[in-house]
Amino acid sequence: MTTTKKLKWLLVLVLIFGGFAIYKFFSVLAADLSLKEYAWLFKIVSEFGLFLSVIISVGYVHHWLIAEEEHRESAINLRETLETYVNKILFNSVKRGFLGITQKEFDFSQIMAGLKPGDYVYWLITFDPRFKNKSRELENAIKNGVHFRLLILKDGCRIGELRATETTGFNPHEFNEYSKLFKVSLEDVIGRIDDATPGSLGVFIYDGLPCVPLFIIIRNASKKVAVYSSFYLTEPVSKMPYLNWETVLKLGNQSSFESDDWNMADLFFDYFKTRWEIERSKLSAGDNSGQAEPANFIHAPAAAKKLCLTLYNE
């Protein structure tokens, strides 16, 4: 017990016994007939002493008995709350790779500014209407040695028409035009990339389910994977917030979901690789059949098709 607490309890005891002593002392004086004219005053002081002693005693008992029990109950409730919300939610979220959520719209410029030579970026999207004004940032990143792999929705496909009907502010025609513009903007970037460029760009145009918007960054120096995932709801995906996940890069065929330490970032990473391999297998089938260059794959530099078809560390 600290000195301060000792002094507090000493004060309590002094008030209890002091109050009782005042009560007894002035009760005797009040009963003294020789001091009858002051009896009313002695009674007041006596009653005050009794009041003080009783109140302090009750407070003392409350603190040691009732308040102590309340403190234990509060501690139990707090522990249960922490187990529920911290262990099960916070700790589990961190364990699964969750870092936070963006402030509404995905900040493409900020992400691009943080890329380093040798980094890989995987992007699964329908289209982004803002991209026309951001294409220079993509071009500069490629020229700086960053490798991009994109899966974008094919214009005019049935999936695009269905997505347009549930998206606020779009009709199927507008949605289709934006899909065309997105591809044209990428082709403009490709036209400005020469064979001496250290980075690369590979783009598959798919016509399947978009499933989930994904923006994945593989940081070559730290071997970490940052994932930004969103949802296809009624708002255009360009206006949606993104959840931020992170994991350590795992090479080979590690089945992360079979482990107790599975991570959402790994699942998103594996999903993109699977989608990419599906489109790549279609391209390989077309090459083996002797067909002309398929229209569902565009890339830069022009002489680096094989590189543009590969993902990180393949």
Side-chain angles (χ1 to χ4, degrees):
M1 184 180 293
T2 64
T3 302
T4 302
K5 287 185 177 180
K6 289 179 179 179
L7 291 175
K8 286 181 179 179
W9 287 119
L10 180 60
L11 177 61
V12 169
L13 294 175
V14 168
L15 291 174
I16 291 173
F17 290 106
F20 187 74
I22 291 172
Y23 164 70
K24 294 299 293 182
F25 178 73
F26 281 92
S27 293
V28 173
L29 291 178
D32 191 342
L33 295 177
S34 64
L35 300 173
K36 187 177 180 180
E37 58 181 305
Y38 299 107
W40 64 272
L41 178 61
F42 295 149
K43 285 182 179 180
I44 292 176
V45 176
S46 173
E47 293 299 324
F48 174 76
L50 180 60
F51 174 79
L52 181 65
S53 180
V54 171
I55 290 299
I56 298 300
S57 299
V58 170
Y60 183 87
V61 171
H62 176 272
H63 179 82
W64 279 104
L65 298 180
I66 303 175
E68 187 67 23
E69 182 63 27
E70 291 176 348
H71 176 73
R72 280 195 295 269
E73 290 180 358
S74 297
I76 293 172
N77 291 335
L78 178 60
R79 186 161 51 250
E80 292 176 349
T81 301
L82 289 176
E83 288 177 354
T84 301
Y85 293 100
V86 176
N87 292 347
K88 293 182 180 179
I89 298 178
L90 179 59
F91 290 165
N92 190 56
S93 297
V94 174
K95 182 180 179 181
R96 304 309 175 195
F98 182 68
L99 293 184
I101 185 170
T102 62
Q103 295 293 334
K104 219 168 183 182
E105 294 184 10
F106 183 66
D107 193 338
F108 185 81
S109 298
Q110 182 181 2
I111 298 298
M112 297 295 283
L115 298 175
K116 306 295 181 184
D119 289 349
Y120 271 70
V121 175
Y122 301 165
W123 194 7
L124 171 59
I125 194 74
T126 50
F127 65 85
D128 190 328
R130 303 169 300 172
F131 182 75
K132 182 179 180 180
N133 299 323
K134 304 289 184 180
S135 61
R136 285 289 181 182
E137 296 176 22
L138 175 69
E139 177 186 344
N140 292 336
I142 296 171
K143 290 181 177 180
N144 195 37
V146 181
H147 303 275
F148 288 84
R149 303 293 179 262
L150 274 67
L151 290 165
I152 66 172
L153 186 65
K154 183 178 182 180
D155 62 86
C157 70
R158 176 60 176 163
I159 296 298
E161 181 181 345
L162 293 173
R163 173 60 185 151
T165 59
E166 64 179 14
T167 306
T168 302
F170 286 93
N171 58 48
H173 175 73
E174 290 173 325
F175 195 94
N176 187 52
E177 291 302 307
Y178 271 113
S179 295
K180 291 179 180 179
L181 179 62
F182 192 38
K183 181 184 177 185
V184 169
S185 298
L186 289 169
E187 289 173 333
D188 288 342
V189 172
I190 289 173
R192 297 192 294 269
I193 301 297
D194 57 39
D195 290 342
T197 302
S200 63
L201 172 63
V203 182
F204 275 115
I205 298 91
Y206 67 91
D207 59 0
L209 293 173
C211 189
V212 58
L214 284 178
F215 196 91
I216 303 174
I217 304 169
I218 305 171
R219 304 199 183 279
N220 188 51
S222 62
K223 297 297 185 287
K224 287 187 176 182
V225 179
V227 177
Y228 295 87
S229 65
S230 190
F231 310 92
Y232 286 112
L233 303 178
T234 55
E235 290 297 324
V237 70
S238 59
K239 295 183 178 181
M240 286 290 293
Y242 275 68
L243 304 180
N244 186 200
W245 312 83
E246 187 177 79
T247 187
V248 176
L249 181 64
K250 299 176 180 65
L251 301 178
N253 295 319
Q254 300 182 25
S255 183
S256 59
F257 195 55
E258 301 303 322
S259 168
D260 290 337
D261 296 325
W262 61 269
N263 187 296
M264 282 299 299
D266 292 327
L267 299 180
F268 287 128
F269 185 73
D270 292 341
Y271 179 73
F272 185 93
K273 290 196 297 183
T274 300
R275 290 291 299 268
W276 185 266
E277 184 54 41
I278 290 172
E279 298 302 325
R280 187 163 56 183
S281 64
K282 295 178 183 177
L283 183 64
S284 297
D287 288 344
N288 294 334
S289 65
Q291 296 178 0
E293 180 78 5
N296 67 332
F297 181 70
I298 55 178
H299 66 280
K305 179 181 178 181
K306 184 176 181 181
L307 170 64
C308 297
L309 283 168
T310 60
L311 299 177
Y312 183 84
N313 204 47
E314 285 188 334

